[in-house]
Amino acid sequence: MIKRTHTCGDLSKKNLNEKISLNGWISKSRDLGGIIFIDLKDRYGVTQIIFNEQTNKKAFDKVKPLGLQDVIGISGEVVARPNEAINKDLPTGEIDVEVDAIEVYNEADPMPFDVNDRYSTMEENRLKYRYLDLRTSEMQENLKVRHEATLSVRNFLSAENFLEIETPILMKSTPEGARDFLVPSRIHKGKFYALPQSPQTYKQLLMVSGLDKYFQIVKCFRDEDFRSDRQPEFTQIDIECSFVSQEDIITLGTNLIRHIWKEVLNVNLPNEFKVISYKDAMNLYGSDKPDLRFDMLLEDFNDFIDESDFNVFKTTIEKGGIVKAIVCPNGGNYSRKVIDELTVFVKEYHHAKGLAFMKCFDGKLEGGISKFFNKNLQCKIINNLKVMNDDIIFLIGDEEKITLEALGALRLNLANREKLIKKDWKPLWVVDFPLFDWNKEKKRWESLHHPFTSPNPDDIHLLDKSPGEIRSWGYDIVMNGYELGGGSIRIHDSDMQAKIFELLGLSKPELIEKFGFLIDAFKYGAPPHGGMAFGLDRIVMLLVESNQIRDVIAFPKTTSAMSLMDLSPSNVDKEQLSELGIKLDK
């Protein structure tokens, strides 16, 4: 093997006349008769190397039959390119290497797609040949950014006196909001471990242990329905600390994100991030992870409906629903076809009953439901909502949750359609989440975050009579419409924790079976504590300006939780199942 002296991104004019050696893949090849130019590539860059038949026929004859992505090593002399051939876009663009020796390590079969053009093939093909996709410049840069982000996290938290402590991957199955991945035990037949959805109970136990500042960059697993920013296995930046308030965690989280953005992108985020309540986030943006890079807020419309003749929405309000609106600029030119498509969008994907509209022309509202609003009421709407000519007003009237979420989704749809989203970074914190959410199907309360989240002390008196009104000490950090992380101040009192479990419908035997070890630990001096977890994959996805996390994970799964490369999950033989005491239904 030719031992490399430099990488393919190292060489410049300062290396002129040096004897060097390189290893890499043939990225491009141009045969000009007696001279062959090759772009030799590794993860550090590209260097153009030259084979000249007249000066070194042996090396020339050896390279001539080679093809793209063959792996070679070369040695040669660094020479200056002619002025007209200089490539200012490449760090190595002022030099070439005249080859005097070549060793062929491996000849590649024809490629299933062009590795120089990642988007020359569908994603399914790239996932099938992921090891080739990882050869592309885009994926190698993404993984480099991931490394830099991970390193910046470790440096920041270590400087803040946090200890990185590993917690078990094989753990007890506990109810935490999503389905567990179960691991059968061969030794204890009929019993199962679970893969952790998060190290929640372990990190709380570390606080009981007196290890007051813990972090871990850790794999987590959830067997749930997936989308572009979720995976069955994902990576969390997990943080827990003792003797802290919600404000302490928000300050820590703000500084961590500021540090990552500065270290990786050299971007200075604000010293403090905007903080809004969950209620305001939903009422103004229709989302608990609002994108602040554009305006188009949700507007209250109940009072206008009361003064109108539109009885459909009046009936909605009488039944306890609400009517909200958004004003979309330049929507006056929307055809009936476009409006119908948007109506289908809010109905099929967000369960709204329909989508009403009015267009503004020459200071008047026209079309849609405008005939139900008299001239004076139209003027009031236009003035109060600051409606401009050629704008369109979209309205939804339904149950509060459906109205807000459907309009929030429509807000994003319209912003993308009208190209209203500015290229910017808009971080914020969302606080004062409800502690509980009512499950209509199961007719019981569930934790909105998880059952270890502390109620706001000011609302504890509502535990017995109005659980739905209790605010939690929970908080999410959001960037550009994506949740980067979330957490809470935890319950550290064993009686309060037992009370919450009881309200969630866990019987005392179930409580002891599932969480007895945690409740017991709290009896031996649990400090006040809290923390949060950041989604590392999602953070890196934003840093590289992608819109889905498969682009920043080396070997991801599809949205159906499959690996197209190694075809997992796969069948196992009967002998293996028998050892585990498992029999499959036919």
Side-chain angles (χ1 to χ4, degrees), residues 15-30:
N15 302 105
L16 287 179
N17 304 318
E18 288 183 17
K19 294 286 188 180
I20 61 90
S21 56
L22 302 172
N23 290 317
W25 286 259
I26 297 176
S27 178
K28 291 181 183 177
S29 180
R30 298 173 296 286

Side-chain angles (χ1 to χ4, degrees), residues 27 81 104 154 161 172 181 211 268 384 461 479 534:
S27 178
R81 285 194 189 186
V104 180
R154 284 196 163 96
N161 212 22
K172 185 181 183 66
F181 282 104
L211 296 159
N268 292 307
N384 286 12
H461 66 283
M479 179 82 81
F534 294 86

